[in-house]
Amino acid sequence: MTTAPATPPPARAAQRDPHAERDALLHALAEQRATLLIALRGLTDAQAGRRSTASELTLGGILKHLAQGERVWAQLIRERRGETPNGMWDMGQYHLTADDTLAGLRAAYASATRAMDAAVVALPDLDVAVPLPPVPWDPEAAPETWTARRALLHMLRETAQHAGHADIIRECLDGANTTAQLGDAPDTD
């Protein structure tokens, strides 16, 4: 008696690429970072520090803040001790100093994004617990613990939100906008 060949078992999650989600999220974050940087193309240091809306935000201030955010989250993900990284609550991260240059801010941002990516890639998976430090606005509250996934999604949301701010600020500054600049060659200053 012959039997029909067995049907192969359905694909199991363990057989899928274990890093597909991580890679997809890092790719989405890279796209938002690139969108943000489009708003900075062709600017002078003076323009990067100029307010163009009712908001206190400037293009340079946004870049400085996001560089700080990438550094902070990279440290939280890498160390997982729940300690407050240096400068995490520093409100000066939104404002340029006399010593800040757009080239220096770009370099700091590039370094911070590499650190964030390296911290995420070094994880065994995105379910790793990331203890957060106590928050200064509610020192009695118990510190939270997020997964690395949630921390990465937070950085993605933060970058996308500020890329939108940057587009509006740039358009108010000189009429340029991200959509019109998409096809232009990337800025290399």
Side-chain angles (χ1 to χ4, degrees):
M1 175 171 168
T2 61
T3 57
T7 305
R12 294 185 185 144
Q15 294 172 329
R16 288 188 230 139
D17 179 357
H19 302 298
E21 178 189 23
R22 176 201 71 195
D23 295 346
L25 289 173
L26 285 173
H27 179 77
L29 180 55
E31 289 177 332
Q32 291 305 313
R33 291 168 177 159
T35 299
L36 168 76
L37 293 174
I38 290 171
L40 300 166
R41 286 182 183 167
L43 289 181
T44 65
D45 291 343
Q47 288 173 311
R50 188 174 304 139
R51 287 179 51 206
S52 64
T53 68
S55 170
E56 291 289 325
L57 289 174
T58 66
L59 292 168
I62 288 172
L63 188 60
K64 187 174 182 178
H65 163 65
L66 285 174
Q68 178 71 356
E70 296 260 5
R71 277 192 301 275
V72 161
W73 282 103
Q75 183 177 340
L76 289 169
I77 289 169
R78 190 176 52 251
E79 296 178 1
R80 298 189 296 276
R81 294 188 306 225
E83 296 173 0
T84 303
N86 187 32
M88 183 170 186
W89 310 118
D90 176 16
M91 296 309 289
Q93 66 184 288
Y94 294 94
H95 305 285
L96 300 186
T97 67
D99 295 331
D100 287 327
T101 65
L102 191 51
L105 294 171
R106 284 176 185 271
Y109 185 62
S111 174
T113 62
R114 285 190 302 272
M116 177 66 165
D117 291 352
V120 172
V121 168
L123 297 171
D125 59 60
L126 295 179
D127 291 320
V128 168
V130 179
L132 303 185
V135 295
W137 53 87
D138 192 1
E140 301 301 316
E144 292 184 56
T145 297
W146 288 2
T147 62
R149 176 183 297 100
R150 183 170 176 194
L152 184 56
L153 287 168
H154 172 78
M155 198 68 242
L156 176 58
R157 183 206 50 82
E158 183 85 0
T159 303
Q161 177 181 350
H162 286 308
H165 293 149
D167 195 34
I168 291 167
I169 292 168
R170 178 62 188 263
E171 191 163 3
C172 291
L173 188 66
D174 66 3
N177 65 57
T178 301
T179 303
Q181 295 185 78
L182 280 173
D184 295 345
D187 209 12
T188 56
D189 355 295

